[in-house]
Structure formats: structure tokens, C-alpha cells
Amino acid sequence: MAAGRHGGYRDNEFRDRESNLDVSRRGFANSKEDYDRVRNGGRDVVRGGSRDARDRIRVRQKDIREREASNGGHRSSSSRSDSGSSGGGGSDGGGLGPRRCGFSAKTMDREPGELSSESGSDGAIEPESMMKDSEVANVEHNRTRSPPPPEKKRKFSPIVWDQDDKEVSEPSKTKSKVSTAPVTALPPPPPLPKSFVRSPNVPYGGVEIHPVKKSETKDVELPEATRATMPSPGSHSMSPKQAWHNDREAEQQEGEDYVPSHNISSSRWAAVDNSPGDEGEIIDDEELPRRKRRLSPELLDTKLRNKLLSPVEAKKEGFDGGRAKSSESDERGSHGRTSSGDDHPGTASEKDDYMEIDAQGGKSDTSINHSETDSEDEDDRRETPEPPAPPQRMVNMLQGCRSVDEFERLNKIDEGTYGVVYRARDKKTGEIVALKKVKMEKEREGFPLTSLREINILLSFHHPSIVDVKEVVVGSSLDSIFMVMEYMEHDLKGLMEAMKQPFSQSEVKCLMIQLLEGVKYLHDNWVLHRDLKTSNLLLNNRGELKICDFGLARQYGSPLKPYTHLVVTLWYRAPELLLGSKQYSTAIDMWSLGCIMAELLSKEPLFNGKTEFDQLDKIFKILGTPNETIWPGFSKLPGVKVNFVKHQYNLLRKKFPATSFTGSPVLSDAGFDLLNKLLTYDPEKRITAEAALNHEWFHEVPLPKSKEFMPTFPAQHAQDRRMRRVLKSPDPLEEQRRKELQQGESGTGGIFGYWERWVCLELQSIHFPLNTINWIQDLN
Ligand SMILES: Nc1ncnc2c1ncn2[C@@H]1O[C@H](COP(=O)(O)OP(=O)(O)OP(=O)(O)O)[C@@H](O)[C@H]1O
């Protein structure tokens, strides 16, 4: 089944996306009955299962056409325009054809965490299916022209996985997304693959989720990056339909910057229907753009607004748009924030962006946002009613979001691939926080989706073992965004480098329990972290461990879809990934946990390969070379073409003996059993987070140390952690991984792509010293 999907992957991708878009759109402009009917019809059509459903769709289409005709033919003109702007070519003459063309160009670009779809073939599209899709999309297209009923408002969930950019650009749908679901109802998640099902209550059983809490209370919103391209508030003479249509054109003109739709139209928290048939439909985010894909400022405008809109703002958008517009107008006037102003993104350096504001004494223009939006009531009192504006322009993008100048920068903590992290003090409360500034390597390309995703996850997830993102603040540049996180004194990588002795067994148990709880929470909530490593594990001086860096995290589900194997830093990368498997799940994170457990015990990375091949070699040397007996399916993995040296024995116990006189880290039988189970080759047999938490190792003496008794360490904030690492032990993997991810973007994949990439990696390793030198020079 998976192979079948794989074979026509790109095409299925389109179909799925279209159908899911349909699902997302249908509910917005129609009654519940219509929604259900079309939705079911759409599914049937897409799956080719029900002629009745198709007939219903056709009837609905006809009905809609008639209605449109009587409404002045908006739909047809829009349709024509869409068609023209995207090159046409639909097989059925409906609205889908041109859109499909647009998608096909865009889906070539993916996020490095995602699989390129070269294995698919356009020829695999079944004409009939296309037609059916088109019919559904056509209906959808028609329906979304109608403004949504305001009474269907609902709480906003910041997680809207892989939402279609087009979708978020469309006012009616945008509004409807906020408005159609019940306030508290959470739809069921997609079913887990059997081997990964943990409990009948998963994902919600026993897991505390506060998906909307932060948005509700923090009123988080991100800045608009598109004022220059927007009509002035007073000039909103066009209808919402026209506004949407213009946006569509603008997006299409974006060319490569335009990010195609994703076919998860809403999160499980934000879904519109609880019907069992929905299960599995929200899972596929194969269309997610590459990690380095950027959202254009125009898309950022809508995307961030949709993703980070608080319920308060959502409410305003629906009911008080005029007020928001008014405020926007005022603010713009007072700020003088124009594309030619000093604050323009293109002119602000990273330092300027932050320090400049600091120097202004905490009352720069953007700080107005904070003081004016402390409470919804305040807004209500202050703002005066104005004529309603198109919904898409209603939200004051800066109003709900504090300025970074409310924080005093103390020092830079670290600079990762995707963000610079500062230690800072909240001027109001005195609280020490970490500010992660989203890196805008090429600002003109817009906001990085990976950061958007990270913000999205971290704002939504709430767990003691997941780093808490308190809010998002803006810099002086309209597109400079900071995540305000709880400050953690250490990361485990830096800490272990500074420690003279490794952690004791009881300390490792304390850390592992917290880590497993965090990972269990993620997996229970259908998220793979995909980059678990010691530098992404933070530790504070209260002994609390927290997982950070969700830039590579993604939602997963059943059936498993092909993903890229270019995830997880090499040393922590599971063998199935190293061997080119594109269908993986939670087990990849569990392997990383095995590597981390070993590293905590020994203070040294377990498998520190320099290339993928070297990494495999190191693994095989310690654990023995796998075979079909211990890992069914092993021989069919793409990477198992090379004749690996057959290492007969598992030597792991030698590295972690029960007793030692040589200084080797000791590990009890139970501890060794757990380590072995985490480092099990066959992902199907690898232990789950839940099972690991119940492992006897945690119940035997020495018992896990309680957090309060964990050792404290001198805070590492006095210096830049990255600088310290470079000086002490440069990490070759960062550079290599960056290149891997870039290669992943080039669209290579599949077996041949894999080996091409492998050769490239081999070459890269030769150039590594040069890269390192460049890297160090960059620092200076
Ligand atoms: N809340 C925090 N408190 C203290 N330090 C932090 C915090 N968050 C991140 N850091 C530090 O910043 C480093 C980089 O953060 P993060 O991993 O989120 O950035 P990144 O750009 O995604 O990195 P990577 O290159 O690993 O993908 C971490 O390894 C950690 O040392």
C-alpha cells in the first residue's frame, strides 16, 4: 500500500491536497449538512467509491452555478482569472486544472525534512480521478466565495499543520477556520500504525494538552510584513472576494516564493468535524515545503496571522474588524513604518534590530503595541467603531505582539543553524528569558516555514519536558521575530563538555525519565522531533530537562508516508534513516534516545561517524551487522547495496560493563537491557517511550535522583556557547548537516539520489577542515 502511494506520490499528493483543501473549505461557507454532504462526497469521489456522491456534487455544482449567475457571476470571473494566471491546462475545465499546474511547479520545493517527490509521475494521475477532484474542488471553489457566517466562530488553535497558503490567503476561509469548530471539541487523531500504538487513550489519554492556552492568554500575534503592498485602510473599496482574488494573483506572481498548499488543512485541535471518517486525513504533510523554504512577506502576513491569532484577535477579526483597521491605521500613522523607513527589514542588521531598540529606552514605536494591548477590554474602550473592512485586512498585526525592546539583551547564548539565541531580561518583570531570533538568511524571501512550524508547536505544546515558549515578540524590522522562551542555564552537550565526570546512573535515570516523558508526550501527540541530540536538551539549575529546537519536528500518522531520511544529526540518526528508509516513525526518536542515554553515561558520543557510511560502520562495529533474521526487511532497504563488513557480535556490553576497573561507565543488567532495547535495529521492535518509562531500570537501585538533588553547575550564560564549542571541539556535523539539508532541497531522492548524496557527503568530509575554518572566521 505504501509502495503504491509512493509510486504515484506526487499525484496523490495533489489529489490529497485538493481533497483536503476541499474539506477545509467546504465547512466554511455552508451549513453543516452541506459541509458533511460535500465532504463525504468529496472523499468518495476522490476514492472513486460512490457514484451517488459524485451525482450529489454535480447537483451541488449546478446549484452553485445558478446561484452565482444570480449573484453576478463572481465565481466565473475569478475562475477565469485563476486559470489565466497559472497557465491553465485543467483537464475538466474546472477550477482545479490551473491550480494543479500551479502546485506542480511548487511541490518540487520541499523542506529538507520532507521527501522530495521525484518518485511520482504525472502520468500516474488517473484522468477520472482528476476530473472527480476537479469537481469537488470546483464546488469548493464556488463555495468559498460566500462569506462565512460569523456565528460559527470558534476558538483558534495555533497549530494548523501544513495549512494551505492559498487557504490562509483567502479571507473567507481564514475567517471560517477561526469560526467553525466547536470551542472545546478535539477531533480524534489519525490512527497509529499497529506497532506504534501505545494505549487505547492515545493521543489524549493521560496527556495534558493545552492547545489554545497560550494564544488565549497571551494574545500573540506577529507583525504584518506587507503594508507597503496593501491598500491603505481607508481605501478598502474592494470586496472580500476581490481582495482575495488580488492576493491570489500576488501569490502567483511570487513565483518561486509561493509555497504550495499542504493537505493538512487543520490540526486535530482545529478540525471541523469529529466524524470517524476523518481519521487519517490530517496527517499527510508531505507537501510541506523544505526547511529553507521561505514565506514571502505577503504570505507571512496571512499565515502568521492565521497560525498565531489569538481567540481574542480572532474574535476581533470576525466582529470588530473595523476597530482593528482603525487601530492599524493609527499605528501606522504614528509609527511612520513604511517600506522606505529606517525600520525596513532590509536595512536592519541583526544587532541593530535588537540593540538599536534597546538604546531607545524601551519606548520605540513598536512598544506601543504592548501598552495598548494589555487587555481586550482596554482595546474595546479605546477603539472607535469604523466601517467594516475586508476581513483579511482587519487584524492589526502589531497590536497583540510585544516589542523586543521590552527586553534587555544580556548576551548571546548560541547560534544554531536556524536561529540566534540570546539571554535577556524582561524589563517589566525582571524575568530572565531566552530569546530565539528567527534567522532570516535571505530576508527578501520571507519568513522561514521551519521557524513558523517551531513557533507553532512550541506555542501549542505544554509539558514540563518541552521548553516553554511564552510569547512571540517583534523586532524593529517588521519581519524580525523572536520567540521568548524560558531560560535554561545549560544544554547537555555544553554541560558534558564542561564536566569532568560523567553523570552517575541515578542522575542519568533522572534525566532519561524526563526525556522519555517529553518524547512520549510528543509521540502521543503525533509529533516526531527528528532532531534529538544533547545540544537540543536543555537543563536548568533545578534539575529540569527540557527538549528544544522543533525546527525539524513534524506530524506523522498512519499510513506511514515516505519522508526524507535526511533528518536527525548524524550521530543520533537511526540505522533505518542511514540506510535510506523513507518510511519511519517514532522509532527514529527512540534510537536517538539510546545514543543520548549512552552519551550521558559515558560523556562521549556513542557513534561519532563523519559520514553516513562511517556512521553505519561505527554502529555495526559496536552492535554487529544486522541481517534479515534480526531485522526483517533490512536487506530491502535502499542503502543495503553495499557489502558491509559482517561484524558478528554485539560489543555494547563491553562499552558499558556491569562492573569496571578501567573507568568504563558501569551499567546494571537492567540498564543495559534498556539501552539495548533503545538501540534495537528493527524499528518495529525498538522500545517505545511509554514502555521505556516503565522499564525496570528506573525501579531498581540506585533509584533515579530527584530533580532537586541533581547537581548544579555554574551557569554557562557568561559566554557564547557556540564560541566555546568551536574552540573546544568543533562539531563537524553541523556543517555537514547543513549541506545535507541543502542537498535535500535540490529535489534529489530515491535510491539514486541517496547514493549521489552519499558520494557528495564523502567529498564534503574531505573539505571539512576548510568549512570549519570558515565557520570560525564567521564567528569573528
Ligand atoms: N530556552 C533556552 N534557554 C537557554 N538556551 C537555549 C534555549 N533554547 C536554545 N538554547 C541554546 O541555543 C542553542 C540553539 O538553539 P536551537 O537548537 O533551538 O537553535 P537552532 O538554530 O534550531 O539550532 P540547530 O542548528 O541545532 O538546529 C541550543 O543548543 C541551546 O544551547
Side-chain angles (χ1 to χ4, degrees), residues 405-438:
D405 79 339
E406 306 244 347
F407 296 86
E408 176 192 355
R409 178 163 98 166
L410 300 174
N411 63 280
K412 185 195 271 188
I413 299 172
D414 204 345
E415 180 166 355
T417 317
Y418 301 96
V420 188
V421 185
Y422 300 96
R423 191 171 67 100
R425 179 185 291 113
D426 188 330
K427 288 177 181 170
K428 262 193 180 164
T429 63
E431 187 186 10
I432 301 294
V433 297
L435 290 181
K436 181 170 177 178
K437 181 176 189 285
V438 173

Side-chain angles (χ1 to χ4, degrees), residues 168-214:
V168 296
S169 303
E170 185 175 355
S172 62
K173 282 179 300 211
T174 297
K175 193 169 172 182
S176 300
K177 266 204 178 303
V178 175
S179 64
T180 50
V183 169
T184 50
L186 302 178
L192 273 169
K194 260 188 186 163
S195 56
F196 296 112
V197 171
R198 284 164 186 76
S199 80
N201 297 329
V202 169
Y204 301 109
V207 178
E208 193 188 2
I209 306 168
H210 303 288
V212 296
K213 185 176 174 187
K214 293 180 188 175

Side-chain angles (χ1 to χ4, degrees), residues 291 413-421 434 436 454 467 485-491 531 533 535-536 538 548-551 721 725 734 737:
R291 181 160 183 156
I413 299 172
D414 204 345
E415 180 166 355
T417 317
Y418 301 96
V420 188
V421 185
K436 181 170 177 178
E454 181 173 19
V467 71
M485 294 182 278
E486 58 181 320
Y487 173 71
M488 303 287 287
E489 282 87 353
H490 314 277
D491 67 59
D531 201 12
K533 56 181 176 180
S535 63
N536 286 339
L538 306 173
C548 74
D549 192 359
F550 284 73
R721 288 179 194 166
R725 279 183 203 143
E734 291 303 322
R737 184 164 158 245

Side-chain angles (χ1 to χ4, degrees), residues 512-578:
M512 284 301 294
I513 284 177
Q514 295 181 68
L515 179 53
L516 283 164
E517 279 169 349
V519 171
K520 177 181 181 302
Y521 175 80
L522 293 178
H523 291 178
D524 283 354
N525 286 285
W526 304 90
V527 166
L528 305 179
H529 186 281
R530 301 202 305 183
D531 201 12
L532 290 169
K533 56 181 176 180
T534 48
S535 63
N536 286 339
L537 303 179
L538 306 173
L539 187 70
N540 63 22
N541 277 338
R542 295 186 298 281
E544 294 167 342
L545 176 148
K546 294 178 195 265
I547 303 168
C548 74
D549 192 359
F550 284 73
L552 272 181
R554 61 156 294 152
Q555 199 174 32
Y556 75 98
S558 175
L560 295 179
K561 305 284 175 61
Y563 309 136
T564 180
H565 56 275
L566 290 179
V567 288
V568 188
T569 304
L570 197 55
W571 293 353
Y572 307 87
R573 196 180 293 173
E576 61 267 30
L577 293 172
L578 291 164

